[in-house]
C-alpha cells in the first residue's frame, strides 16, 4: 500500500479561540447580535455560509474564492467605487483599529509563556488604573518612559531568549511616540491594501484562466485573517440594545473611528500616564448615535 500526502488546509493556520471560549462567544453572539433581526439578515447568513464553505474545503482555490466572496459580501456596496476599491476601503479601517492591540496581545502571550511568575511580579511595579487588562499594562511597561527601569529588568532576564528580547526592545522603539505609531500603522495599512489587491488578482487568475499562483496558500491565510477581524468587530458593534442593525452602519462607524483614532494620536506630542490609552484602540461600551456627535 502506498501513502499519498495530502495538502494541509491553510484555513486552519490562522489564530482561533480554544473550543470552550469559542463556544462561549458563539452563545453570546446568538443571544445579543442584532444583524439576524435587521435589514442585513440575509447577507449575514450568506457571509457565514460562504466562510463555512471556505473553512471546510480542502481545495486551495475554493478556499480563496469563498473567503473572497465573504469579504465582498460583508462590505456594503458603493456604486461610486470599483469592486476592489470598495472592499479595500471598507475593511482596512477594521485592520487599522485592531493592529497595535493585536501586536501587544501576541507579545503578552509570548512573555507569559516564557515566564509567568517573573512577568507578573514585574507588572505589579507598573502603575495602572483599576480595571486595566494585561495587554494595557504591558503596553505601559514598554512604552512609558517612567517604566524604563522595570523594562530594563525584564530585558536583562530575557538575555538567553534573544528573539523575544529583541522583539520587546523593538516595540519600545516602534511605539515610543504617537508620531511613530501613526507612521507604523499607516505603513501597515499600505501593505494590507497591497495584499488585498493581490488576493483579488489571484481570484481573477483562478476564475478567468484557471491558473493558481504558487503563493496562493499564503494569500488564503491573510484573507481569512482579514475576514475574521472584520466579522468579529462587526458582531461586537452590532450587539446589544445600542448596537447597529446593518453592516453599512457598522462600516461607516468603523471608518469614522479609525479617522478619530489617527487624529487623536496626531494631537498628542508624547505618551504619558494620561493618554497611553490612545495606543490601543478598544470599545469600552456599545456604540450609540451620540458617538457621532462627540467633541473632537
Amino acid at each position: 500500500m502506498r501513502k499519498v500526502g495530502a495538502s494541509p488546509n491553510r484555513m486552519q493556520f490562522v489564530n482561533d479561540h480554544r473550543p470552550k471560549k469559542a463556544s462561549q462567544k458563539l452563545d453570546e453572539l446568538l443571544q445579543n447580535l442584532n444583524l439576524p433581526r435587521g435589514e442585513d439578515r440575509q447577507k449575514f447568513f450568506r457571509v457565514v455560509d460562504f466562510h463555512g464553505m471556505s473553512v471546510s474545503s480542502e481545495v486551495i482555490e475554493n478556499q480563496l474564492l469563498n473567503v473572497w466572496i465573504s469579504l465582498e459580501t460583508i462590505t456594503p456596496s458603493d456604486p461610486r467605487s470599483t469592486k476592489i476599491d470598495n472592499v479595500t476601503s471598507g475593511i482596512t479601517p477594521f485592520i487599522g483599529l485592531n493592529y497595535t492591540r493585536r501586536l501587544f496581545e501576541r507579545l503578552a502571550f509570548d512573555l507569559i509563556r516564557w515566564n509567568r511568575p517573573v512577568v507578573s511580579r514585574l507588572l505589579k511595579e507598573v502603575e495602572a488604573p483599576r480595571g486595566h487588562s494585561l495587554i494595557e499594562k504591558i503596553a505601559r511597561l514598554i512604552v512609558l518612559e517612567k517604566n524604563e527601569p522595570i523594562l530594563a529588568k525584564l530585558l536583562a532576564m530575557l538575555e538567553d531568549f534573544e528573539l523575544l528580547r529583541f522583539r520587546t526592545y523593538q516595540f519600545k522603539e516602534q511605539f515610543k511616540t504617537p508620531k511613530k505609531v501613526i507612521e507604523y500603522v499607516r505603513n501597515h495599512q499600505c501593505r494590507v491594501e497591497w495584499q488585498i489587491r493581490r488576493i483579488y488578482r489571484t481570484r481573477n487568475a483562478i476564475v478567468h484562466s484557471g491558473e493558481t499562483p504558487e503563493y496562493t496558500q499564503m494569500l488564503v491565510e491573510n484573507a481569512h485573517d482579514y475576514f475574521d477581524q472584520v466579522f468579529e468587530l462587526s458582531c461586537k458593534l452590532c450587539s446589544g440594545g445600542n448596537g447597529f442593525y446593518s453592516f453599512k452602519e457598522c462600516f461607516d462607524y468603523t471608518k469614522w473611528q479609525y479617522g478619530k483614532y489617527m487624529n487623536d494620536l496626531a494631537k498628542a506630542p508624547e505618551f504619558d500616564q494620561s493618554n497611553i490609552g490612545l495606543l490601543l484602540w478598544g470599545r469600552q461600551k456599545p456604540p450609540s448615535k451620540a458617538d457621532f456627535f462627540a467633541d473632537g
Side-chain angles (χ1 to χ4, degrees), residues 213-249:
E214 295 180 359
Y215 48 78
T216 302
Q217 293 183 344
M218 178 190 66
L219 296 182
V220 167
E221 293 178 38
N222 288 331
H224 189 192
D225 184 48
Y226 297 156
F227 173 80
D228 281 354
Q229 292 185 60
V230 173
F231 187 72
E232 184 171 357
L233 183 53
S234 293
C235 288
K236 287 180 180 178
L237 296 175
C238 294
S239 295
N242 292 324
F244 300 125
Y245 279 79
S246 72
F247 284 119
K248 186 179 186 310
E249 292 177 329

Side-chain angles (χ1 to χ4, degrees), residues 101-120:
R101 180 172 291 274
R102 278 162 57 93
L103 289 176
F104 276 93
E105 283 176 350
R106 291 169 183 171
L107 178 63
F109 175 82
D110 289 338
L111 287 172
I112 293 297
R113 184 173 58 175
W114 163 67
N115 196 321
R116 180 185 291 270
V118 167
V119 174
S120 299

Side-chain angles (χ1 to χ4, degrees), residues 59-167:
V59 180
I60 193 71
E61 292 83 0
N62 288 342
Q63 292 171 15
L64 184 73
L65 293 177
N66 282 309
V67 77
W68 175 260
I69 293 173
S70 300
L71 285 169
E72 192 175 319
T73 303
I74 200 173
T75 306
S77 60
D78 185 346
R80 298 168 297 180
S81 301
T82 63
K83 187 178 300 182
I84 180 58
D85 287 341
N86 193 51
V87 172
T88 302
S89 63
I91 72 175
T92 47
F94 289 83
I95 311 301
L97 288 175
N98 281 328
Y99 186 49
T100 55
R101 180 172 291 274
R102 278 162 57 93
L103 289 176
F104 276 93
E105 283 176 350
R106 291 169 183 171
L107 178 63
F109 175 82
D110 289 338
L111 287 172
I112 293 297
R113 184 173 58 175
W114 163 67
N115 196 321
R116 180 185 291 270
V118 167
V119 174
S120 299
R121 185 172 67 251
L122 290 176
L123 288 180
K124 289 180 180 178
E125 302 179 37
V126 177
E127 182 182 347
R130 295 184 62 181
H132 64 273
S133 67
L134 172 67
I135 313 302
E136 291 164 351
K137 202 159 190 180
I138 285 181
R140 287 171 175 268
L141 166 64
I142 293 175
V143 175
L144 293 183
E145 185 176 351
K146 65 173 295 184
N147 293 323
E148 285 187 358
I150 308 173
L151 179 60
K153 295 180 187 177
L154 175 62
L155 293 175
M157 294 177 182
L158 285 169
E159 186 173 6
D160 294 333
F161 298 84
E162 290 88 353
L163 293 179
L164 185 56
R165 185 174 186 270
F166 173 74
R167 190 158 137 235

Side-chain angles (χ1 to χ4, degrees), residues 153-259:
K153 295 180 187 177
L154 175 62
L155 293 175
M157 294 177 182
L158 285 169
E159 186 173 6
D160 294 333
F161 298 84
E162 290 88 353
L163 293 179
L164 185 56
R165 185 174 186 270
F166 173 74
R167 190 158 137 235
T168 304
Y169 175 78
Q170 191 178 43
F171 271 44
K172 172 67 177 176
E173 295 302 308
Q174 289 172 338
F175 302 109
K176 66 192 305 182
T177 65
K179 182 179 179 180
K180 280 184 170 290
V181 175
I182 293 173
E183 181 182 0
Y184 199 68
V185 172
R186 283 179 175 165
N187 288 338
H188 179 258
Q189 292 294 82
C190 289
R191 293 192 297 271
V192 170
E193 291 181 13
W194 175 77
Q195 196 73 328
I196 293 171
R197 293 180 185 279
R198 199 177 183 198
I199 293 167
Y200 184 62
R201 289 196 299 269
T202 303
R203 174 262 181 201
N204 288 344
I206 293 172
V207 171
H208 299 299
S209 66
E211 298 178 356
T212 304
E214 295 180 359
Y215 48 78
T216 302
Q217 293 183 344
M218 178 190 66
L219 296 182
V220 167
E221 293 178 38
N222 288 331
H224 189 192
D225 184 48
Y226 297 156
F227 173 80
D228 281 354
Q229 292 185 60
V230 173
F231 187 72
E232 184 171 357
L233 183 53
S234 293
C235 288
K236 287 180 180 178
L237 296 175
C238 294
S239 295
N242 292 324
F244 300 125
Y245 279 79
S246 72
F247 284 119
K248 186 179 186 310
E249 292 177 329
C250 182
F251 274 65
D252 287 345
Y253 175 79
T254 304
K255 184 177 181 180
W256 171 74
Q257 276 283 287
Y258 176 68

Side-chain angles (χ1 to χ4, degrees), residues 272-292:
D272 54 34
Q273 285 286 112
S274 65
N275 65 11
I276 185 62
L278 294 176
L279 175 61
L280 308 177
W281 181 87
R283 290 292 308 177
Q284 303 301 321
K285 61 183 180 60
S288 68
K289 292 182 179 179
D291 287 317
F292 292 101

Side-chain angles (χ1 to χ4, degrees), residues 9-21:
N9 187 337
R10 307 306 297 186
M11 297 296 284
Q12 309 299 334
F13 278 61
V14 298
N15 293 328
D16 210 343
H17 298 296
R18 297 179 184 273
K20 183 177 180 180
K21 185 174 182 180

